[in-house]
Amino acid sequence: MKNARFREKLKWVPRLVYFDENDYLREKARDKKKIQALIDEAEHLFINEDDSNERFFLAGTMGNLYRVIGKLNRSIGYLNVSLEIAKENKDLTKEIIATIRLGESLKYANKHAKALTLFEQALHTAYENDAAYIDFAFQHKGKCLMEMGQYEEAMEAFQDALTIRSSKGNQELVESTEQAILYLESTKI
């Protein structure tokens, strides 16, 4: 696997981030310097990479990591690159993933309406093509709606995500959605 050493380092990212319970469960960095070091390595790999699948992976990774450390313009830039790569390759699954990621960064940039449009677009594409990641689109749509104060619609999106995730049997994803539901219930009181 190309960039195997870098991918191995990324396994530590969950220990470097947390979901901020004081800020709508947004992902934040515990250690910005370590995350920046990963970004720097990814940028070096990206510059020297010709394979479009690896470029998609690296651009998406940098976009997500830049979002976590709060460098949203860089995040949005790289996520647009990953979306373009997916579209060029006519890879709908990657297009859905990139669309959701870009929506999430736009949400962090407080561009909620644009983010919501992208989550809806991801849902539409996934449903029309019987593709994966519908639960992720619902989850992120729910978080966006929650931040917009549209609590009933947010709960509906979370419930849709939970139904799909429960049927998949992935307990980690189920717990993530249950956490979002509990947060929403505590927020709207």
Side-chain angles (χ1 to χ4, degrees):
M1 179 187 295
K2 267 190 145 182
N3 302 316
R5 282 185 33 161
F6 178 70
R7 289 176 188 265
E8 193 63 32
K9 291 178 184 179
L10 290 177
K11 291 180 180 178
W12 291 95
V13 169
R15 294 179 185 200
L16 301 175
V17 299
Y18 67 98
F19 291 95
D20 189 344
E21 293 185 4
N22 296 314
D23 192 13
Y24 296 104
L25 299 176
R26 287 184 175 198
E27 224 173 354
K28 305 251 178 108
R30 290 185 199 281
D31 190 331
K32 287 185 178 184
K33 287 182 182 178
K34 286 183 180 176
I35 291 177
Q36 185 63 57
L38 289 169
I39 293 169
D40 294 344
E41 185 173 349
E43 284 183 331
H44 175 75
L45 294 169
F46 184 79
I47 290 168
N48 298 303
E49 185 58 64
D50 294 328
D51 180 81
S52 66
N53 288 322
E54 287 299 305
R55 288 180 64 78
F56 173 83
F57 163 73
L58 292 167
T61 298
M62 288 184 288
N64 283 341
L65 294 176
Y66 270 125
R67 174 181 49 79
V68 168
I69 63 171
K71 295 183 178 179
L72 299 174
N73 288 334
R74 301 283 297 177
S75 172
I76 292 166
Y78 275 114
L79 293 172
N80 273 312
V81 168
S82 72
L83 181 57
E84 286 306 311
I85 293 169
K87 287 179 177 181
E88 286 171 10
N89 292 332
K90 297 179 180 18
D91 187 324
L92 284 175
T93 299
K94 287 181 179 174
E95 187 177 330
I96 293 164
I97 292 167
T99 301
I100 293 169
R101 288 175 174 171
L102 179 56
E104 191 66 3
S105 283
L106 287 168
K107 182 188 82 176
Y108 276 49
N110 296 316
K111 297 178 180 178
H112 293 87
K114 287 182 180 180
L116 193 57
T117 298
L118 289 177
F119 299 138
E120 290 289 348
Q121 181 182 331
L123 280 167
H124 180 74
T125 302
Y127 272 121
E128 280 212 339
N129 297 284
D130 199 28
Y133 297 98
I134 293 172
D135 55 324
F136 287 90
F138 274 126
Q139 177 89 355
H140 290 286
K141 176 183 175 181
K143 285 185 167 184
C144 187
L145 289 165
M146 180 173 62
E147 288 191 23
M148 296 171 76
Q150 298 179 22
Y151 300 128
E152 288 179 27
E153 296 90 342
M155 183 61 79
E156 194 174 302
F158 288 144
Q159 292 295 342
D160 289 339
L162 185 59
T163 298
I164 294 166
R165 289 178 169 188
S166 295
S167 70
K168 285 182 173 181
N170 184 325
Q171 193 56 35
E172 188 176 329
L173 293 177
V174 168
E175 288 173 8
S176 173
T177 304
E178 288 173 341
Q179 181 185 18
I181 289 170
L182 288 172
Y183 184 88
L184 173 61
E185 289 173 342
S186 70
T187 299
K188 65 180 190 177
I189 295 174

